[in-house]
Amino acid sequence: MCSYKLLVRRASRICAWSIVLFIVYISPLKNIAANYDVLHQQYADDTQLYVAINKLNMSATVNNLQNCLSAVQLWLSQNGLVINPEKSETVLFSTAQQARASQLPLSGVNVAGCVVPFTDSVKILGVMLDRHLTFNLHVQNVCKSSYYHIRALKHIRSSLTADMAKTVACALVNSRLDYANSVLYSTTTANITKLQRVQNTLARVVTNTRRAEHIHPVLASLHWLPINYRIDFKVATLAYKIRSTGSPAYLLSSVSDYMPTRHLRSSTQLLLVKPPVKTEIARRSFSQAAPAVWNSLPHAIRSAETYGRFRSALRTHYYRLAFID
């Protein structure tokens, strides 16, 4: 048994170091993207290149992206690597109105000599992004996966204690409800209702509560925040990390402290700036979500000295809003 555990640990360390070395090896890709003014994100061997398109420079931007892809393909071929077009995906994110009005000069993107057509959705780090950013498909997948594990838990519930059932439920289902849930800020009521129904079903299985009984006291007894508060909780914790540590770095530019031009009472309230936007998609961005959630918190919570105290006070605050007030 000890030898097996040691083998697993060594294997995981080797795998982790392999990923790190691979990332270092292909790090020049970011320089190629920067030379063509193409934005770049990368996680292990998953690389995304993306550009912003408008009506004035549509053709030029698309051609620039194609040139960047050609340069990336050339660098990879010179360094013993190959792009797999079959595993490549392209998607055009826009509002429904923009999609109807815009006419792209192409139906896909050329990747390694193959035209990869535009798709309706793309999966990035476990999150399904549809072309209109409604996240309907992502919520559907989360619900489907969650119900699968709830049914499995229901079969063995009689063999588990209450604490064991709660632990399994949090590990298998609540973790899925919480994963990347900040992207669901200001999503449709229908999506929130679907996710809340999953949590309600899970709570009934864990506590052996009948469908006829009200679920609100059950969630309170389990200390499970409702879905909308869990989303706000994630956004608020991200905002605190950014203000206190500057990480994650890719969100740092989305948050800025409110600094009035003259001395006002609000200058000491640790507020965030909420930039003006025009579209509904922009209103759901992190630059809008973080100030909206952060500024609504009491000053005592915003001024917490440590991350641990902030999380504890924040959870208590949302628990009172959800179940007491």
Side-chain angles (χ1 to χ4, degrees):
M1 182 66 69
C2 293
S3 299
Y4 176 75
K5 288 184 177 179
L6 181 60
L7 178 62
V8 171
R9 288 175 182 172
R10 286 178 177 173
S12 62
R13 289 175 182 173
I14 292 174
C15 181
W17 275 110
S18 299
I19 294 175
V20 172
L21 292 175
F22 178 77
I23 293 174
V24 173
Y25 183 72
I26 64 173
S27 59
L29 289 181
K30 66 179 181 180
N31 298 327
I32 298 176
N35 291 336
Y36 287 89
D37 292 328
V38 174
L39 299 177
H40 163 270
Q41 291 289 343
Q42 183 177 342
Y43 181 81
D45 63 341
D46 187 7
T47 302
Q48 295 105 38
L49 301 175
Y50 52 98
V51 293
I53 300 177
N54 58 53
K55 295 180 179 180
L56 299 178
N57 62 351
M58 187 177 298
S59 299
T61 302
V62 172
N63 291 334
N64 186 59
L65 177 61
Q66 292 284 192
N67 294 334
C68 179
L69 286 170
S70 300
V72 169
Q73 179 189 359
L74 177 61
W75 184 91
L76 291 175
S77 62
Q78 292 174 345
N79 290 272
L81 299 173
V82 178
I83 295 179
N84 188 349
E86 295 182 357
K87 294 186 177 180
S88 301
E89 296 177 297
T90 59
V91 62
L92 176 63
F93 296 114
S94 66
T95 64
Q97 182 180 4
Q98 289 173 338
R100 290 191 298 266
S102 63
Q103 295 293 330
L104 281 179
L106 75 170
S107 59
V109 176
N110 190 309
V111 178
C114 298
V115 177
V116 179
F118 291 117
T119 60
D120 292 333
S121 62
V122 61
K123 190 174 186 179
I124 299 178
L125 298 180
V127 177
M128 291 298 299
L129 302 178
D130 59 274
R131 60 194 183 101
H132 297 321
L133 295 179
T134 63
F135 292 101
N136 294 339
L137 184 58
H138 175 69
V139 171
Q140 179 182 341
N141 290 344
V142 171
C143 292
K144 182 179 180 180
S145 176
S146 298
Y147 280 126
Y148 172 83
H149 290 287
I150 291 175
R151 287 192 294 269
L153 175 60
K154 188 175 182 179
H155 289 316
I156 64 172
R157 176 63 185 90
S158 59
S159 303
L160 303 176
T161 64
D163 289 339
M164 291 173 61
K166 185 177 179 180
T167 300
V168 172
C170 291
L172 295 181
V173 181
N174 275 341
S175 59
R176 284 175 165 78
L177 297 177
D178 289 339
Y179 177 73
N181 62 346
S182 58
V183 301
L184 298 177
Y185 175 81
S186 193
T187 188
T188 61
T189 303
N191 283 338
I192 296 296
T193 301
K194 291 178 182 179
L195 295 173
Q196 189 60 58
R197 192 177 296 120
V198 171
Q199 189 186 49
N200 295 348
T201 304
L202 179 65
R204 294 185 189 280
V205 172
V206 170
T207 59
N208 289 319
T209 302
R210 295 177 299 176
R211 291 178 61 88
E213 299 182 33
H214 202 282
I215 195 62
H216 203 68
V218 178
L219 294 177
S221 65
L222 292 171
H223 288 267
W224 289 356
L225 293 176
I227 295 299
N228 56 330
Y229 288 107
R230 297 172 88 96
I231 294 173
D232 289 352
F233 182 88
K234 178 65 71 62
V235 173
T237 53
L238 283 173
Y240 184 90
K241 286 182 179 180
I242 294 171
R243 294 189 71 256
S244 58
T245 65
S247 63
Y250 58 85
L251 291 177
L252 184 59
S253 60
S254 302
V255 174
S256 58
D257 293 332
Y258 173 68
M259 301 294 292
T261 56
R262 54 194 180 90
H263 183 72
L264 300 173
R265 184 182 301 177
S266 58
S267 60
T268 61
Q269 296 299 307
L270 305 178
L271 300 176
L272 296 178
V273 176
K274 189 175 182 180
V277 295
K278 296 181 179 180
T279 63
E280 188 61 31
I281 290 181
R283 292 188 182 92
R284 292 160 43 200
S285 64
F286 186 78
S287 61
Q288 293 289 306
V293 174
W294 179 265
N295 295 347
S296 66
L297 300 176
H299 179 265
I301 298 179
R302 294 197 300 266
S303 60
E305 296 180 356
T306 64
Y307 179 65
R309 291 181 180 179
F310 174 79
R311 282 178 56 92
S312 178
L314 182 64
R315 184 173 294 276
T316 301
H317 172 67
Y318 283 145
Y319 182 87
R320 290 174 177 172
L321 292 179
F323 301 113
I324 299 177
D325 295 346

